Amino acid sequence: MLSKAHLLLFLLIKVVSSSDNGFTFYKSFKLVGEAEIAPDGLFKHINETSWGIIHTFYSLPFGFKNSLTGNALSFSTMFVFEIVPEIQDRIGLGMGFVIAPSKEIPGAGDSQHLGLVNLTNDGQPSNHMVSIRFDTSKEKEFGDINDNHVGININSIRSIKSAPAGYFKNENGEFKNLSLTSGEPIQAWVEYDGIVKQLNVTLSPININKPNLPLLSLKIDLSPIFLDQMYVGFSSSIVVNQQSHYVLGWSFQLNGKAEELDLSKLRSLSHEKKSIKTQITLAIGLSLMGIILATTIIFIIFFWLKRKAKYSEILEDWEVQYGPHRFQYKDLFLATEGFKDTELLGRGGFGEVYKGALPMSNVQIAVKRISHNARQGMKEFVAEIATIGRVRHPNLVRLLGYCRRKCELYLIYDLMTNTSLDKFIFNETNAMLKWNQRFKIIKDIASGLAYLHEEWVEVIVHRDIKASNVLLDDELNGKLGEFGLARCNNHGKDPQTTHLAGTLGYIAPELARNGKATTSSDVFAFGAFCLEVACGRRPVEHRAPYEEVILVDWVLECWRNGEILKVADSKLKGDFKVDELELILKLGLLCSHPAAAIRPSMSQVLQYLNGHALIPEKLDSHWTEDHFGGTSQSNDSKPSLTITELFIVTGR
């Protein structure tokens, strides 16, 4: 959008005459700034500019209404103008003759409105404005007929009536087109008859007398439009170095006919432009070069400072050791196109996730933006991120690094094109996953989780295992993602968090009691995950029948009643291997057992899934008061129990 500017009129020759009801100026002026024309022909310079919206008005108002009747008086004006393109095929937006209640138009809009109205007041009767527009562009939103037309506008940017620019050569109606941007002088007459209430607009080339037929004729009573005192002038909209607007002569008369201009007295600024430029270039060349150089330096400094502020980020001394894992905010901003909504993959409880491609390398990434106001613990958290960033496993989403800026933390991952598993399991609009695909994804996640718990140099507790945190690549391989809640812990140490984190239905009972996240609490969540993938529903479903609200309870009840296949996802339509489905359901019940000591490790889970071991129907275990809230019992005093019996004993 062009900045608002106003019209500077450069006076070349003096006024011929003026009176209380009219004036005649034999002068040439270029629309390049803001000024007003006094009755004696002097110009008051207000502001200088060379582009945007520009206005000029005769400095004194005229009484456009009969003081007794309140009717609009007749008026007539004639002027000669030129519109000169500075660059071929780039012609700006146009100019117009204006009658307005003030020389300074409040709330004027952008260049598309010729600086007369804005989107808020467009068409409002309170504007009290009449303009004759000479448009050199076609704005479809305003109903323009073409890019070379004349329009009559009342209080609005939309023309009440318009016609292609031209004139009628004779009374038989032979029409000749005129190009408004030819760079040649064009005569214009605007006349209003207050008796018959008719407004006429006429054009002709400089060498043709005024045609008898007007180009535009509109029956309209201007009495409601005009106030008692109105100003006359011009409004223009130009683009810097693309178009110049000139008025070569102007006469106006209220309640009478404007004086015809003596065309021999007019001088065209556009035709003198080259010679003037040649003369002044030599005189001010060095000064101009100095100004341009200084302006350029200032602009470069300003741009550099603005760009630096735009991409500024926090970097503390202790972060130097994590350099390889730190991304520049500028690269993330460019990769996600400024974090545009079109790049948004989804929103979660911890922030938004955007897709993008890193500059230069074009590596596809997912960027999670998290609000993080707490400075305390940030160093430890970044240390953990850097540690997790070294983890590499085919079934773990690779955490590439992080970025900090102001109160925001950014985590950068490899992009998974098929997004998350829950969109396939719970959203019926997506392609449904077959049983063999679901079974493989469960094995993939078990493999990745076993690596975190038992195979890497440090124990990593994920703490938020669920379908929405399982991502799928191009070949629908399952990868465990979302390390935002992960915690790294040295082997042999008891991991502990300061607050409970996770998702309802996946939180182990002991975690809810003591807040200690362990590998066993991860196994509990994995069990809930197995059940939701097999059953096609979430661990807690409030809209389900009462006995089915808690998924693990429902599966357990069906197991006890010998109806375990009843819980299979109905979308599978029975297309599954019974032995595999029973294996996953049994494993889900075992892993999500309320007693942590009964849950298997992830290495044991992998043995069950790969057929290297069978899930026992009877298990011996050392029951403690901590598990059941009762008296401790030894193996000798407690008989072996089936899986179903174990759940019954623990109150599930």
Side-chain angles (χ1 to χ4, degrees):
M1 181 183 295
L2 298 175
S3 300
K4 179 177 179 182
H6 296 281
L7 174 65
L8 171 66
L9 301 180
F10 179 71
L11 180 63
L12 295 182
I13 58 179
K14 286 189 176 181
V15 177
V16 171
S17 63
S18 65
S19 67
D20 292 340
N21 291 323
F23 55 80
T24 301
F25 292 155
Y26 282 97
K27 60 181 180 60
S28 297
F29 54 84
K30 180 181 179 182
L31 281 64
V32 291
E34 178 184 323
E36 61 181 27
I37 312 172
D40 59 4
L42 296 178
F43 283 61
K44 179 183 178 182
H45 301 293
I46 300 171
N47 183 29
E48 295 189 6
T49 185
S50 60
W51 59 288
I53 301 167
I54 51 186
H55 300 142
T56 186
F57 286 95
Y58 186 69
S59 61
L60 299 178
F62 290 97
F64 270 78
K65 280 190 165 183
N66 186 308
S67 59
L68 297 178
T69 65
N71 292 329
L73 298 176
S74 300
F75 66 86
S76 171
T77 186
M78 177 192 180
F79 50 90
V80 179
F81 68 94
E82 289 179 351
I83 299 178
V84 183
E86 302 289 343
I87 301 176
Q88 190 175 5
D89 298 327
R90 300 183 71 179
I91 57 177
L93 300 173
M95 60 177 287
F97 171 74
V98 182
I99 303 175
S102 172
K103 292 179 291 184
E104 296 183 0
I105 301 173
D110 56 31
S111 57
Q112 290 179 310
H113 297 74
L114 286 183
L116 302 176
V117 296
N118 57 43
L119 292 175
T120 302
N121 65 8
D122 186 28
Q124 296 296 321
S126 58
N127 292 332
H128 296 290
M129 193 175 303
V130 176
S131 65
I132 309 301
R133 291 184 52 181
F134 305 96
D135 278 353
T136 57
S137 69
K138 181 178 180 180
E139 303 294 330
K140 292 183 179 179
E141 59 183 304
F142 302 131
D144 290 348
I145 58 175
N146 61 24
D147 59 359
N148 187 67
H149 66 275
V150 181
I152 298 175
N153 297 61
I154 307 295
N155 293 328
S156 174
I157 192 61
R158 293 180 177 272
S159 299
I160 292 180
K161 193 170 186 179
S162 60
Y167 64 100
F168 293 99
K169 189 174 181 181
N170 51 51
E171 295 184 1
N172 295 328
E174 183 182 353
F175 185 77
K176 294 288 186 180
N177 288 311
L178 274 177
S179 173
L180 296 175
T181 57
S182 65
E184 297 298 325
I186 297 175
Q187 301 179 89
W189 294 264
V190 180
E191 301 162 306
Y192 177 70
D193 189 327
I195 304 299
V196 299
K197 295 179 173 43
Q198 179 167 304
L199 181 64
N200 292 335
V201 180
T202 309
L203 294 187
S204 80
I206 197 70
N207 57 347
I208 300 295
N209 293 329
K210 178 185 176 185
N212 292 326
L213 291 177
L215 174 65
L216 289 171
S217 185
L218 177 66
K219 284 283 188 179
I220 185 171
D221 184 3
L222 295 181
S223 302
I225 311 300
F226 288 157
L227 300 179
D228 291 336
Q229 299 290 312
M230 302 288 284
Y231 291 86
V232 294
F234 294 93
S235 178
S236 178
S237 175
I238 60 174
V239 181
V240 62
N241 295 329
Q242 292 185 15
Q243 189 182 88
S244 296
H245 298 164
Y246 302 91
V247 176
L248 310 183
W250 182 19
S251 66
F252 175 83
Q253 186 63 45
L254 186 64
N255 221 11
K257 181 177 176 58
E259 179 180 332
E260 288 291 324
L261 296 174
D262 183 350
L263 303 182
S264 65
K265 295 181 179 180
L266 302 181
R267 289 195 296 169
S268 171
L269 282 182
S270 65
H271 293 165
E272 298 174 359
K273 190 174 180 181
K274 281 190 177 181
S275 61
I276 295 175
K277 281 188 176 180
T278 301
Q279 294 174 26
I280 65 173
T281 297
L282 190 60
I284 65 172
L286 293 177
S287 299
L288 186 60
M289 288 178 61
I291 293 173
I292 292 174
L293 181 60
T295 302
T296 301
I297 294 173
I298 292 173
F299 175 79
I300 291 174
I301 294 174
F302 173 79
F303 180 79
W304 180 78
L305 291 174
K306 184 176 180 180
R307 183 180 178 87
K308 184 178 180 181
K310 180 178 181 180
Y311 297 123
S312 64
E313 52 188 282
I314 304 169
L315 182 62
E316 299 181 20
D317 294 339
W318 55 264
E319 287 190 84
V320 175
Q321 59 182 307
Y322 307 121
H325 299 281
R326 172 144 191 162
F327 281 73
Q328 291 188 4
Y329 175 76
K330 174 178 64 177
D331 292 337
L332 302 183
F333 187 88
L334 296 175
T336 59
E337 299 183 20
F339 296 96
K340 287 175 58 176
D341 287 343
T342 55
E343 305 303 303
L344 183 65
L345 291 175
R347 289 186 173 90
F350 290 87
E352 303 91 9
V353 180
Y354 297 84
K355 65 179 179 180
L358 288 174
M360 306 299 290
S361 66
N362 204 35
V363 172
Q364 301 294 304
I365 58 171
V367 182
K368 185 157 194 174
R369 182 167 63 181
I370 306 169
S371 295
H372 191 95
N373 296 318
R375 289 179 58 85
Q376 185 177 7
M378 175 58 75
K379 180 176 180 179
E380 291 75 12
F381 184 75
V382 170
E384 292 171 355
I385 292 298
T387 302
I388 296 171
R390 298 197 300 270
V391 174
R392 294 293 182 268
H393 188 274
N395 298 120
L396 297 175
V397 177
R398 186 171 56 154
L399 178 61
L400 302 176
Y402 75 99
C403 173
R404 286 201 304 137
R405 182 175 184 266
K406 298 180 179 178
C407 295
E408 291 179 328
L409 176 69
Y410 300 84
L411 301 179
I412 300 92
Y413 300 90
D414 280 332
L415 180 65
M416 296 290 105
T417 53
N418 275 316
T419 65
S420 57
L421 174 62
D422 65 325
K423 295 181 179 179
F424 287 86
I425 297 294
F426 306 122
N427 190 345
E428 296 183 0
T429 60
N430 284 324
M432 190 192 73
L433 290 177
K434 298 178 181 179
W435 172 252
N436 64 323
Q437 294 171 319
R438 301 188 191 201
F439 189 70
K440 181 182 182 304
I441 290 170
I442 291 174
K443 293 175 67 175
D444 289 342
I445 300 310
S447 177
L449 195 54
Y451 179 83
L452 293 178
H453 287 183
E454 305 172 30
E455 300 174 26
W456 204 54
V457 293
E458 293 181 272
V459 175
I460 297 179
V461 179
H462 187 278
R463 302 209 312 166
D464 201 19
I465 300 162
K466 56 184 178 180
S468 60
N469 287 337
V470 172
L471 304 179
L472 305 177
D473 63 13
D474 293 337
E475 299 177 353
L476 296 178
N477 295 310
K479 294 177 182 285
L480 185 59
E482 185 52 80
F483 285 81
L485 291 176
R487 291 294 181 269
C488 298
N489 305 282
N490 292 330
H491 284 291
K493 292 187 178 180
D494 185 22
Q496 184 171 352
T497 61
T498 57
H499 65 282
L500 182 62
T503 305
L504 182 64
Y506 304 87
I507 300 176
E510 73 277 6
L511 180 60
R513 288 196 303 270
N514 56 36
K516 294 181 179 181
T518 64
T519 56
S520 185
S521 60
D522 267 1
V523 173
F524 182 94
F526 176 79
F529 166 73
C530 288
L531 295 180
E532 71 175 332
V533 174
C535 302
R537 52 154 288 183
R538 303 184 190 279
V540 179
E541 193 65 70
H542 297 287
R543 296 182 181 180
Y546 176 77
E547 64 276 7
E548 300 178 13
V549 171
I550 306 299
L551 178 58
V552 66
D553 289 347
W554 181 45
V555 174
L556 178 60
E557 183 65 24
C558 291
W559 181 269
R560 293 170 57 191
N561 296 334
E563 301 175 327
I564 191 61
L565 299 183
K566 177 181 176 181
V567 302
D569 188 355
S570 60
K571 295 190 289 295
L572 292 171
K573 297 179 181 180
D575 186 12
F576 52 79
K577 293 182 179 180
V578 175
D579 58 337
E580 289 182 351
L581 177 64
E582 289 185 348
L583 170 64
I584 294 301
L585 293 173
K586 290 168 63 178
L587 184 61
L589 291 174
L590 183 61
C591 289
S592 59
H593 196 284
I598 297 177
R599 300 170 203 151
S601 67
M602 288 310 301
S603 59
Q604 290 175 311
V605 168
L606 279 178
Q607 289 182 338
Y608 297 147
L609 288 171
N610 292 324
H612 299 155
L614 297 176
I615 297 179
E617 282 296 328
K618 291 189 176 183
L619 299 174
D620 291 320
S621 203
H622 182 73
W623 311 111
T624 66
E625 181 178 357
D626 179 61
H627 291 153
F628 304 109
T631 305
S632 299
Q633 301 182 43
S634 67
N635 290 340
D636 296 334
S637 61
K638 186 71 177 179
S640 298
L641 299 176
T642 66
I643 292 177
T644 302
E645 290 169 336
L646 292 176
F647 277 90
I648 294 173
V649 170
T650 54
R652 296 302 298 267

